[in-house]
Amino acid sequence: MVLKKAIQTVAQLVGVSAQPVRYDDVLEEVLSHHPDAETDYLAKAYAFGAKAHAGQVRKSGEPYYQHPTAVAYHLAKTGLDLDTVAAGFLHDVLEDCPVEYKDLETNFGHDLAEIVNGVTKLGKVKFQDKAQAQAESYRKMILAMSKDLRVLIVKLADRLHNMQTLEHLNPEKQKRISKETLEIYAPLAHRIGMSQFKTELETLAFYYLEPESYSELKRQLDTRQKISHKTMDSIGHEIRAVLEKNQLESDVTSRVKSEYSIFQKLKKKQTTIEGIYDYYAFRILTDSVRECYAVLGALHERWKPIPGRFKDFIATPKPNLYQSLHTTLIAENGMPFEVQIRTHMMHRLAEEGVAAHWTYKRGRLLSVGKSEYTAWLRKLVDENKDMSDHEEFLESLKAQLVNDEILVFTPAGEIKTLPKGATPLDFAYQIHTELGHHTIGAKIDGKMTSLRSTLQTGNIVEILTSPNQRPSQEWLKIVKSHSARHKIRQWLRTEEKKKSIELGHQIFEKELKRYKIALKTISRDLVQGKAEGLGYKKLDDFYSAIGFGHITPAKAIAPFLPEGTLDKPTGDEVRESRIAKAINRLARKKGAQVTVKGQEDVLVYLAKCCSPIFGDPIVGYITRGRGVAVHKRDCAGLQRSLNDPERRIEVEWDKNYDNPVFSVRVLVHTEERPGMLLDITQALKDAKTNVRKFQASVNVEKNLGVFDIVIEVNTINHLENVFKHLRKIKGVLSQQRVK
Ligand code: MN
C-alpha cells in the first residue's frame, strides 16, 4: 500500500499520466513545435508500428504498442524532428517484429532506418556470455550515436518510458535496469545536455534502487520546504526589487533541486540536509551576457556571497557546453541560497542540450549544429576500441561517462584533456605509453611534484623520466584515466606472465627431482611434446599454467614418469604442501613489498568473501589461475572450498608493510534517542578512523536505530579500538563487523 502510493508520487513527479498516450497527443505536441509539419508521414509511421506490434502485450498486460507511442510522445515533447518522433513509434519493430531494415528504408527513408537500427540490440546468439553481449551492444550503440545523435535521444526516451513502467517487473530486474540507467543512460543524457531526461531518469532509478532513502529524503525535503517557503518567498520578492531598482529586466524563478542530486551531495559530503547550501535555488534569466554579470554585481552588493562558491561557467563552459553563473548568498537569517544566472538561450541549451542547436523546416531536420557532442562520442569509441576485455570496456565506459574533464598544457603549449582528478601519470600515459612506463616525477607550473598530485585546469605539466623506472601495482591506484589504467594493467599482465613462467619452471623442476629426475637430462623437445599432449601449444604456456596453478604439479609431471610411480614419491615427505614449499623457496629470494610475507612474487590478493584486515589470523589458498587468495582462518567460504588441502598454504602479514588501509563494514544497533547520530560520528572521529559510507535508519515501532557504516582501519587492533569507543556510548546495543 505504502509502496503503491510512493510509485504514484514518482509517477506524478515525472509527469506520467494515468491515461495511455494516444496518437492525437503525439500529433498535438508535434504541431505545437512544428505547425507546418508533414503529418501524413507521422500517421503512416504510427499505422505501420501498430500493425507490426498487433497482438503483442507488455508485462503489465497492456497492448505493447502503448510503449512505442509513449516513447514517440516523449520525443515529440522535446520538439525534435519528424524522423525522430516516427522512430519512436517504430523503435522496437526490428527487434520484436518480422520487419526488415529494407522495409523501413523504402517506407520511411534512410535516416529513420538508421536510427531504428542504431537502437536495436545485437542478435543474442553469437555471444559467449551476457557480459560480452552487453559490451558489444553498447559498442554498437555508441558507434551509431556518434554518427547520428538522434539514436541516443530515441534510446533515452525508450529508457525513460521503461523506467516509468518498471513497477511491472520483478524487484531484481528493477534494480538491474535502474543501475544501468544510473551508470549509462543518465550520464549520456547529461553529456548531450538534455537535463530533463537526465533528472527524470535519475529520480526513477534512485526510487527503485534505494526506496527507503528516497522516501526519507522526500519527507525531509517536504518538511524543510514548508519552513523555508516563507523565507524564500520574501527573498524572491527582494531579488525582483533589487533588479528593478537597477533596471535589469529578467525572469526570476525558484525551485528545489532534484532529489537525486541532493542525495548525491548528502552522500559525498557526509552531511545532513541542513548542511546542504543549495537545495533551494533561484534562477534568473536575462537577454544578454552583459546583463548576467550586471545581475551578479547587483546581488553581491545586496547579499554576502559565500567565498569559493562563485562559479563562472559562462567564461568556462562545462564539457557538455552548459553555461551559467552560479553563486551562493546568505540571507539575513543565515540561510544560504543558490542563484543561477544565465541568458534565455543558455537556458534553452541547458534544458534541451544538443537539440537546441538544430534547425528545422516543416518538421524536418535542416542542419545539425555543434559537432562537439558527436566529437566527444567519437572519442569514446576510439579510446575503447582496443579493449578486448568486456568487463574492462564496460568499466571504462561507465567511468568516462561520469567524469568531468580538465584541460592542461604540455611545455610546448599543446592542450590535453584529462578526467577530473587526473595525476601527472595520467598525463604522461596520454602523451605516450613508453613515457608513462618510465615516469618518475613531474613539474607542475615549473615546481617539482610527486606522481600523486592532482592536476588542475590550466597547469603546465612536464614529465621527468628514468630508464630504470617500471610500472607497479601501486600505479593503478594513482591514475584516474582508463586508458592509463589499461596500459599499466597490460604491462603488469605481461610481467605476471613472465613471473609465472619462471615460477612454473621451478615448481616443475622441483617436482621431478622428487622422483629422482633431473630436468636438464630431459630434452627440450621431449618436454615440449609432452606439454602439447597436455593441451599446451607453447612451452611457456605450460610453465605459466603450473605457476598460476591451472594444472597441479602432479598432473604436469605424470607424462614423464613410468606408469604407476606417481603416487610413490621418493623425496622427504612433510605436512606442508609441495606447491607451498616451492613457492616459499622462490619467494624468499625476493625483496619484501607486498602485504603477505613469503609470497612477494606470487600473485596475492585478499579474498572478498571475508576481507581480512591486517592482524586477522589468515591462511592462503592457491586458486586456479588467479594466484593465492588470502582468507581469514575462520572464513566460511574457505571451509567450503577447501576440498583440496594441497592448495592450502601458510601465509602471514608482512610486519614491514607500511601504513596498511582496509575498508570494513560495521553494523551498529542502538536505542533510538536524540543525539545518537552525533555520538556515533564523534566516537568514529575519536577512534581516528575515516568514514567511507554512513547510513542510518530507524525502526520507529521497535524504537531501534541501525547504522550501516564502512570505515577505514589500519589493523585489527585499530578496529577493536573503534569498537571500544562505540561501546562507551549510552544506548549502543551491539556492533558487528559484517565482512
Ligand atoms: Mn522499447
Side-chain angles (χ1 to χ4, degrees), residues 319-347:
N320 68 358
L321 310 184
Y322 172 86
Q323 287 189 298
S324 188
L325 299 175
H326 289 189
T327 186
T328 306
L329 307 169
I330 305 176
E332 270 73 34
N333 64 358
M335 182 159 164
F337 59 97
E338 189 185 69
V339 183
Q340 302 178 351
I341 309 160
R342 51 185 177 255
T343 66
H344 288 282
M345 185 56 200
M346 289 172 188
H347 183 59

Side-chain angles (χ1 to χ4, degrees), residues 64 67 91-92 158 162:
Y64 190 88
H67 164 64
H91 77 273
D92 274 334
D158 177 34
N162 284 334

